[in-house]
Amino acid sequence: MSKLAFIDEKLNELKEQGVYRTLPINYGPCTNVINLNGKEVINLSSNNYLGLANHPRVKKASQDAIEKYGVGAGSVRTIVGNQDLLEILEDLLAEFKHEEAVMCFQSGLNCNIGTIQAITDKGDLIISDALNHASIIDGVRLSKADRAVYKHNDMEDLERILKEKRHDYNNVLIITDGVFSMDGDLAPLPEIVKLAKTYKALTYVDDAHGSGVLGKSGRGTVDHFKLHGEIDFIVGTLSKAIGVVGGYVATKKNVKEWLLHRARPLLFSTALPPAATAATIESVKILMETESYTEKLWENANYFKQALKAFGFNIGISETPITPVMIGEEAKTMAFSKALLEEGVFVSGIVFPTVAKGKGRCRVMISASHTKEDLDKAIAAFERVGKKLDVI
Ligand SMILES: *Cc1c(COP(=O)(O)O)cnc(C)c1O
C-alpha cells in the first residue's frame, strides 16, 4: 500500500460528506463577466469591489514598474528587497488612512500572522471575536499569549471576559474583523473602543472587507465610525477592493519599527513584487482623487439588495455590499448555486464548516464594475431559481 494512502482516506471522507471540491478555472481577467470553465458567466463572487484589478491606469503603472524594476524584489525586505516603491506605498497609505505609519506585507494573511505574534507575548491575553477570519485565528495560534473568544459582536460577553481576566495579564489585545466576510455585518467599533478604554486594552481591527468599501473613498470601517486615533492596529488588504495583492497594518511609528525586527513574514519571505506595489500605489491614488468608485459600488449593492428583498429572499444582517442569500440546508445551497450557474450567473455556495450547519448561503459579492444589465440579469436568474427551488 502506498505510504500516502492515508491522504486518499481523508479525500474519500470529504467525498462522502459531499464537500470534496475541484477548482473552477477562470480563463481571463477577474471582471464583471468572466469565462469560467469555458462558459461566460456574470461574476458575483469576487472581492474586486471597485473594479480596480483591471483599471487601465493601474495596469499601466504595473507595466511601467516591470520595465524599471523587473519582476521580482529579489530578497526579503530586511536585506535588499525594500524597493523604494514600498516606501512610497507605505507613506501614501498612511496619508490615506490618516494614521502615523503603515507597514506592508505580502498579503493580508501574512500581515495578521506576522503582526499578532510580534505585538503579543507570554503574560498577555488576546480576546478575539468568535467569527474572526482564519488568518487572525492562525496569528493568535502563533502567539505566546493566552487567548479567549467572545460571542460574535456580543459586547456583554466581551466585558465579562475583560472583567474576569484583565487583572491577570500585562497587555490585553481585543481583535475583531471590521466587516465580517460571511454575513457582511460590522463590528460595533465604538463600543469596543469604549470597553478598551475602561479596561486599558489594546484594539486591533482587521478591515480586509472594509478597505476600499466603507468610509470616505473607502478609507475603512475606522473612518466610517470616525474613530481615527482610537484603534491601535488597523489591518487592511490590498488584495480585495484595492485590486492587487498585499496587506498592511496602519499603526504608530514605534510599532512599525518593532515589526521590522520581529514580524516573521518580513524577515523570512520575499517582499512584494514591484509590479504589484506600483499597481497598488496607483489604485490608492485613484481612491484619493475620487469617490466615484465607492459611490458606484454602494449604488449597485443597494439596487441588488433591494431587488432581492422585494422578491422575498432573506439576505441576513448585511450592512455592506456582501450579500448572503440565505438558503439553509447544505445540499439545497449547493443546488441553488449550481442552478444559478446554469442560468449564467456564478455565485459560490457557502456551507458548513465555513458557516454554521443549516446556515448555508449563496454569497453575492457586488462590484462597482457590474453594469445595470448584469445586475438585472442576475436578479432575474435569482427569481427563477428561487421559485424553482421553493426558496421564495
Ligand atoms: C481576505 C481576508 C484576509 C486575507 O487577505 P489577503 O490579502 O487575501 O491575504 C484577512 N482578513 C480578512 C478579514 C479577510 O477577509
Side-chain angles (χ1 to χ4, degrees):
M1 214 167 68
S2 141
K3 277 199 305 190
L4 294 177
F6 71 97
I7 298 286
D8 290 324
E9 279 171 31
K10 286 176 194 285
L11 286 169
N12 285 335
E13 269 172 41
L14 294 183
K15 285 175 186 165
E16 277 158 26
Q17 291 160 10
V19 292
Y20 176 84
R21 65 160 141 243
T22 56
L23 296 177
I25 301 173
N26 177 6
Y27 287 90
C30 182
T31 48
N32 56 331
V33 176
I34 56 175
N35 178 342
L36 201 67
N37 292 340
K39 183 180 173 176
E40 194 162 280
V41 293
I42 297 171
N43 172 19
L44 292 184
S45 285
S46 96
N47 299 317
N48 180 20
Y49 284 109
L50 302 174
L52 292 175
N54 305 286
H55 195 289
R57 264 175 66 185
V58 176
K59 292 203 292 193
K60 178 74 170 49
S62 195
Q63 287 157 355
D64 290 348
I66 289 177
E67 286 307 317
K68 181 168 174 195
Y69 294 87
V71 293
S75 150
V76 297
R77 281 187 77 181
T78 48
I79 303 180
V80 291
N82 189 39
Q83 286 171 314
D84 61 348
L85 287 172
L86 281 164
E87 299 278 333
I88 293 166
L89 173 60
E90 289 176 340
D91 289 347
L92 189 70
L93 279 171
E95 186 191 338
F96 179 61
K97 300 288 282 189
H98 305 309
E99 299 294 332
E100 215 178 273
V102 162
M103 178 62 96
C104 282
F105 289 78
Q106 303 90 336
S107 72
L109 178 139
N110 269 281
C111 181
N112 279 329
I113 285 177
T115 304
I116 296 169
Q117 186 188 38
I119 59 173
T120 54
D121 213 337
K122 207 167 154 38
D124 295 340
L125 175 68
I126 300 170
I127 314 181
S128 183
D129 187 287
L131 293 189
N132 276 346
H133 189 259
S135 59
I136 295 178
I137 296 170
D138 289 357
V140 173
R141 280 187 184 139
L142 288 171
S143 164
K144 292 197 182 79
D146 283 349
R147 59 204 72 156
V149 173
Y150 63 96
K151 287 185 205 145
H152 174 55
N153 276 352
D154 185 333
M155 294 299 100
E156 275 174 30
D157 201 37
L158 173 58
E159 181 155 28
R160 175 189 63 78
I161 295 169
L162 285 163
K163 239 186 215 149
E164 259 175 40
K165 300 195 181 237
R166 177 65 189 98
H167 51 269
D168 296 335
Y169 289 95
N170 302 326
N171 287 325
V172 168
L173 179 68
I174 304 169
I175 306 189
T176 181
D177 280 18
V179 175
F180 289 88
S181 54
M182 292 303 142
D183 289 294
D185 54 333
L186 304 186
L189 293 188
E191 285 83 358
I192 289 174
V193 165
K194 219 187 264 171
L195 285 174
K197 276 191 180 147
T198 307
Y199 292 90
K200 296 197 170 30
L202 296 164
T203 47
Y204 186 116
V205 175
D206 177 353
D207 211 19
H209 281 280
S211 320
V213 175
L214 281 148
K216 185 164 185 278
S217 231
R219 281 175 173 77
T221 314
V222 174
D223 186 77
H224 168 81
F225 284 117
K226 309 259 177 306
L227 288 171
H228 290 291
E230 304 279 357
I231 305 287
D232 300 293
F233 309 95
I234 305 167
V235 167
T237 177
L238 304 169
S239 332
K240 290 179 174 140
I242 303 298
V244 193
V245 70
Y248 63 91
V249 55
T251 182
K252 294 285 183 273
K253 283 200 170 111
N254 64 346
V255 177
K256 178 170 175 169
E257 266 176 72
W258 177 245
L259 291 176
L260 186 58
H261 293 85
R262 283 293 181 276
R264 295 166 73 84
L266 296 177
L267 304 176
F268 301 113
S269 186
T270 300
L272 280 167
T277 313
T280 305
I281 292 170
E282 200 61 24
S283 282
V284 177
K285 279 187 184 162
I286 290 171
L287 291 186
M288 288 168 92
E289 284 166 22
T290 173
E291 289 182 67
S292 63
Y293 294 88
T294 45
E295 277 166 7
K296 184 76 196 314
L297 167 66
W298 283 90
E299 189 189 308
N300 278 352
N302 290 333
Y303 180 76
F304 186 84
K305 287 163 91 171
Q306 231 27 66
L308 255 63
K309 260 197 239 169
F311 281 127
F313 283 104
N314 172 5
I315 57 168
I317 51 172
S318 170
E319 302 167 73
T320 61
I322 297 172
T323 308
V325 181
M326 309 305 279
I327 310 294
E329 206 238 318
E330 284 68 30
K332 191 166 182 179
T333 306
M334 299 321 287
F336 200 102
S337 168
K338 199 166 160 236
L340 281 173
L341 189 60
E342 279 157 19
E343 297 265 352
V345 176
F346 183 73
V347 184
S348 61
I350 297 180
V351 296
F352 180 82
T354 307
V355 295
K357 269 217 168 92
K359 298 272 184 197
R361 66 208 56 188
C362 286
R363 190 185 60 154
V364 175
M365 303 297 285
I366 296 293
S367 166
S369 68
H370 290 124
T371 64
K372 184 146 179 303
E373 194 194 351
D374 297 332
L375 297 178
D376 285 338
K377 274 193 197 160
I379 290 162
F382 263 95
E383 188 197 0
R384 281 193 295 273
V385 173
K387 285 184 174 150
K388 199 167 92 187
L389 296 185
D390 267 339
V391 174
I392 51 169

